[in-house]
Amino acid sequence: MTAIVDTSRQTTSTEQPAPGLGAALRAEWLKLTTVRSTWWTLVALVVIGAGLTTLLGALNAEWLASPQADEDPAAFITWGMMLAPAAAVVLGALVVTAEYGSGTIRSSFAAVPSRGRVMLAKSILVAGLLFVAGTATALLGYAGTNPFFEAQGIGLPLEGDVLRAMYGSGLYLAGLGVLAVAVGFLVRHTAAAVSILLGTLFVVGPMVLLVPGTFGEWLEKLMPHNTGGGVAAAVSFNPNLLDPWTGYAVFLAQVAAVVAVAAWSLRRRDA
Amino acid sequence: MIHAHQLTKRFGGATAVDAIDFTVEPGRVTGFLGPNGAGKSTTMRMILGLDAPTAGRVTVNGRAHGTSGAPLREIGALLEAGAVHPGRSARGHLRWMAASNAIPAARVDEVLDLVGLTEVADRRVGKFSLGMGQRLGIAAALLGDPGVVVLDEPVNGLDPEGIRWVRGLARRLADEGRTVFVSSHLMSEMALMADHLIVIGRGQILADTSMADFMRHHAASHVLVRSPQATQVADLLRQHGVEVTVQPDDSGALHVHAGDPAAVGELLGAAGLTLHELSLVRSSLEDAFMTLTADAVEYHATEGVAA
């Protein structure tokens, strides 16, 4: 039988400095990489983000090169990024709601009593992971699509707005991940969090098109899928958008507002 | 050492924990006993800083939880079995916990070995039995080698061998000078495990006493007498100042409120009375606990119809 106690313990244990953000980040990274859902959502992200882009590019290359084309080939180069956010928000929400669902959250807060630090560590890792995965997925989609375009003589060099759309895809998904973490802490339930996020992005977003007038136009511009999604497209299908970086700044402000509410509520509510 | 002062928790209008004071001392196993819904788990969650008290406070080694050092090295807790992501392995769960408090990864293998989960360490926790889940929870509680260990209903779901193991573990932890706080709704379990007992019912402390004292005071015994001359027996005993009650069933047996069956037998023998039975009946601790908490149980089941 192993001794339970390490005899050097008692007096020194309480004198040790509190583990900081680094320890919390290591713990959250281990959590993230030891469940399958992380890998499945990343696979879904690549399949949707790069796979659909390549498919749509291949199918439309000939038409895009023809005189009848009324869309810019550059709009197609990150086509999948219109749907890939679904995978990103599922990943971000699960990082939080899977803990509430299983009760792990109580272990998390017993181990790291600063709830803000737990939320920060999760947000940093989800943002980092999705930035890398999003950019890589966009590049993969570009690499898959551009040969079809080149074959039709409409190839796009990886520069300017096309290049910006690559890391812009990473930036957009990173922001969505942080938003999803915050919503996860607010509602604490996987189905609820995912429904709210997908509903906002894909249902409410398109529905505001029905609101008439200038007010409707602005409402459309300010929906998160439009504010944040602009940087992920070299040329947008939607002409009624804010400038990409202006839009992204507005998107970050929207995310920050939700994060602030979530952090405030997390501090106040019982775990 | 855990110290609660006027600790109170209200959920909406309902008071779960009602201004309780208690101290859990190191070096002994303190049982936290109460019926379901008495406030045990809420109290334990407040100790760990998961629920904020409505009023009052609770400290671990003189400080609120998490206000100094690495929390897992200060206090380890088993709060609920299976509070682990079902897709993660036992080792994966312990590894992130260790990392969060800068505990060396080697300690993970130590505690896995300690609770007997080494062989299944890489299996997904979702496939674990309730008992294996409890063992993992206990491994997590011991991970930081803490001076204070809190176990909420640790024997739930364990087989008899596992229950004995938990009992022995609690004992060893206390013998090493740690503060051990174990909750249960089973008096019989507490009787075997705890040195000190805190009984809670409807959010209030009903008893805070050593196990030995609790037994002396609450587990009253009586002498059961069966005799064809029950009336004479009862009269004689009452003349000697001994309280006698007739058992409420039809058997005619007498409850003699005396602790010494020999004295009762000699008295009745000297008077030439015939006895069919003379025995000492110890009321169980379970009975004592039921009596103590009878008014504090939230949900009563009515026993029998003609009661």
Side-chain angles (χ1 to χ4, degrees), chain B residues 239-265:
Chain B
Q239 279 162 28
H240 284 80
V242 181
E243 200 188 325
V244 178
T245 50
V246 180
Q247 192 139 301
D249 57 25
D250 292 335
S251 68
L254 301 173
H255 272 223
V256 181
H257 293 257
D260 184 6
V264 174

Side-chain angles (χ1 to χ4, degrees), chain A residues 17-35:
Chain A
L21 183 61
L25 282 169
R26 270 190 295 281
E28 290 301 331
W29 177 251
L30 281 166
K31 282 185 196 169
L32 196 60
T33 51
T34 49
V35 291

Side-chain angles (χ1 to χ4, degrees), chain B residues 185-247:
Chain B
H185 62 278
L186 298 174
M187 182 67 221
S188 51
E189 196 44 55
M190 288 285 94
L192 292 167
M193 204 189 299
D195 308 306
H196 193 87
L197 197 61
I198 297 174
V199 182
I200 186 171
R202 285 215 175 163
Q204 293 180 321
I205 302 289
L206 303 175
D208 186 345
T209 166
S210 77
M211 197 71 210
D213 272 354
F214 183 84
M215 287 184 162
R216 253 198 309 283
H217 283 109
H218 294 282
S221 51
H222 65 268
V223 176
L224 182 94
V225 176
R226 241 180 259 281
S227 164
Q229 299 158 289
T231 320
Q232 292 98 309
V233 168
D235 287 346
L236 180 65
L237 287 167
R238 284 188 184 120
Q239 279 162 28
H240 284 80
V242 181
E243 200 188 325
V244 178
T245 50
V246 180
Q247 192 139 301

Side-chain angles (χ1 to χ4, degrees), chain A residues 5 9 34 106 111 270-271, chain B residues 9 50 52 80 88 101 145 178:
Chain A
V5 67
R9 175 182 69 89
T34 49
R106 283 180 275 282
D270 288 335
Chain B
K9 182 67 184 181
L50 298 172
E80 54 198 300
R88 200 172 275 131
N101 275 240
D145 198 16
R178 294 170 212 254

Side-chain angles (χ1 to χ4, degrees), chain B residues 69-92:
Chain B
L72 295 182
R73 293 179 189 270
E74 186 114 16
I75 179 168
L78 164 76
L79 280 189
E80 54 198 300
V84 179
H85 191 295
R88 200 172 275 131
S89 70
R91 179 174 278 122

Side-chain angles (χ1 to χ4, degrees), chain B:
Chain B
M1 168 130 88
I2 301 169
H3 182 70
H5 178 73
Q6 292 292 300
L7 188 63
T8 304
K9 182 67 184 181
R10 278 188 284 273
F11 295 106
T15 302
V17 175
D18 194 359
I20 61 174
D21 293 286
F22 66 84
T23 301
V24 186
E25 302 277 357
R28 67 188 188 193
V29 179
T30 301
F32 195 31
L33 182 68
N36 289 330
K40 301 189 296 291
S41 296
T42 304
T43 302
M44 289 186 153
R45 281 202 301 274
M46 286 193 283
I47 293 171
L48 285 152
L50 298 172
D51 285 11
T54 311
R57 63 195 148 81
V58 60
T59 56
V60 177
N61 296 332
R63 292 176 294 263
H65 177 263
T67 49
S68 82
L72 295 182
R73 293 179 189 270
E74 186 114 16
I75 179 168
L78 164 76
L79 280 189
E80 54 198 300
V84 179
H85 191 295
R88 200 172 275 131
S89 70
R91 179 174 278 122
H93 179 66
L94 295 172
R95 273 178 60 211
W96 78 252
M97 286 192 81
S100 73
N101 275 240
I103 294 163
R107 177 69 185 161
V108 168
D109 292 322
E110 267 177 51
V111 292
L112 279 169
D113 191 45
L114 182 74
V115 302
L117 287 180
T118 303
E119 278 176 36
V120 294
D122 295 310
R123 216 186 283 174
R124 300 171 71 193
V125 174
K127 307 243 184 273
F128 275 21
S129 68
L130 190 53
M132 287 155 86
Q134 288 283 32
R135 284 171 185 265
L136 176 57
I138 291 169
L142 299 176
L143 191 62
D145 198 16
V148 180
V149 179
V150 170
L151 306 172
D152 194 5
E153 303 272 357
V155 301
N156 268 9
L158 291 182
D159 54 15
E161 189 270 331
I163 292 174
R164 252 195 12 213
W165 172 77
V166 170
R167 229 180 265 153
L169 179 78
R171 168 62 38 223
R172 268 183 295 141
L173 291 169
D175 288 347
E176 287 168 356
R178 294 170 212 254
T179 303
V180 184
F181 196 35
V182 185
S183 84
S184 177
H185 62 278
L186 298 174
M187 182 67 221
S188 51
E189 196 44 55
M190 288 285 94
L192 292 167
M193 204 189 299
D195 308 306
H196 193 87
L197 197 61
I198 297 174
V199 182
I200 186 171
R202 285 215 175 163
Q204 293 180 321
I205 302 289
L206 303 175
D208 186 345
T209 166
S210 77
M211 197 71 210
D213 272 354
F214 183 84
M215 287 184 162
R216 253 198 309 283
H217 283 109
H218 294 282
S221 51
H222 65 268
V223 176
L224 182 94
V225 176
R226 241 180 259 281
S227 164
Q229 299 158 289
T231 320
Q232 292 98 309
V233 168
D235 287 346
L236 180 65
L237 287 167
R238 284 188 184 120
Q239 279 162 28
H240 284 80
V242 181
E243 200 188 325
V244 178
T245 50
V246 180
Q247 192 139 301
D249 57 25
D250 292 335
S251 68
L254 301 173
H255 272 223
V256 181
H257 293 257
D260 184 6
V264 174
E266 275 162 27
L267 181 68
L268 299 177
L273 293 167
T274 308
L275 297 185
H276 288 173
E277 186 181 346
L278 176 77
S279 58
L280 180 70
V281 179
R282 275 183 211 284
S283 107
S284 73
L285 283 171
E286 209 67 54
D287 291 341
F289 170 55
M290 295 301 252
T291 311
L292 187 61
T293 58
D295 299 328
V297 177
E298 288 229 306
Y299 310 102
H300 271 292
T302 314
E303 212 171 313
V305 278

Side-chain angles (χ1 to χ4, degrees), chain A residues 14-216:
Chain A
T14 53
E15 315 302 327
Q16 295 188 356
L21 183 61
L25 282 169
R26 270 190 295 281
E28 290 301 331
W29 177 251
L30 281 166
K31 282 185 196 169
L32 196 60
T33 51
T34 49
V35 291
R36 293 182 191 177
S37 58
T38 304
W39 308 119
W40 283 118
T41 45
L42 285 178
V43 167
L45 177 64
V46 174
V47 168
I48 298 170
L52 284 183
T53 302
T54 304
L55 184 67
L56 268 287
L59 293 175
N60 288 297
E62 199 181 334
W63 171 73
L64 284 169
S66 73
Q68 292 94 327
D70 55 2
E71 292 285 0
D72 190 323
F76 279 79
I77 208 74
T78 52
W79 193 93
M81 283 302 154
M82 291 191 293
L83 295 176
V89 297
V90 169
L91 190 150
L94 275 178
V95 162
V96 179
T97 56
E99 288 205 26
Y100 279 100
S102 63
T104 313
I105 194 73
R106 283 180 275 282
S107 302
S108 296
F109 290 149
V112 183
S114 162
R115 298 181 185 182
R117 188 182 298 157
V118 173
M119 187 175 173
L120 180 62
K122 283 182 186 299
S123 301
I124 289 173
L125 287 179
V126 166
L129 183 64
L130 283 173
F131 174 74
V132 172
T135 306
T137 300
L139 285 168
L140 207 60
Y142 171 83
T145 309
N146 206 40
F148 293 104
F149 287 179
E150 277 171 350
Q152 301 291 334
I154 52 168
L156 298 162
L158 191 57
E159 59 183 34
D161 285 346
V162 175
L163 182 62
R164 189 257 301 146
M166 300 295 118
Y167 60 80
S169 294
L171 287 174
Y172 177 40
L173 297 191
L176 281 175
V178 173
L179 179 70
V181 167
V183 171
F185 273 115
L186 272 173
V187 302
R188 303 180 167 193
H189 191 276
T190 303
V194 171
S195 305
I196 288 171
L197 288 159
L198 294 184
T200 306
L201 293 181
F202 298 117
V203 182
V204 181
M207 263 171 56
V208 298
L209 289 172
L210 302 176
V211 180
T214 325
F215 175 69

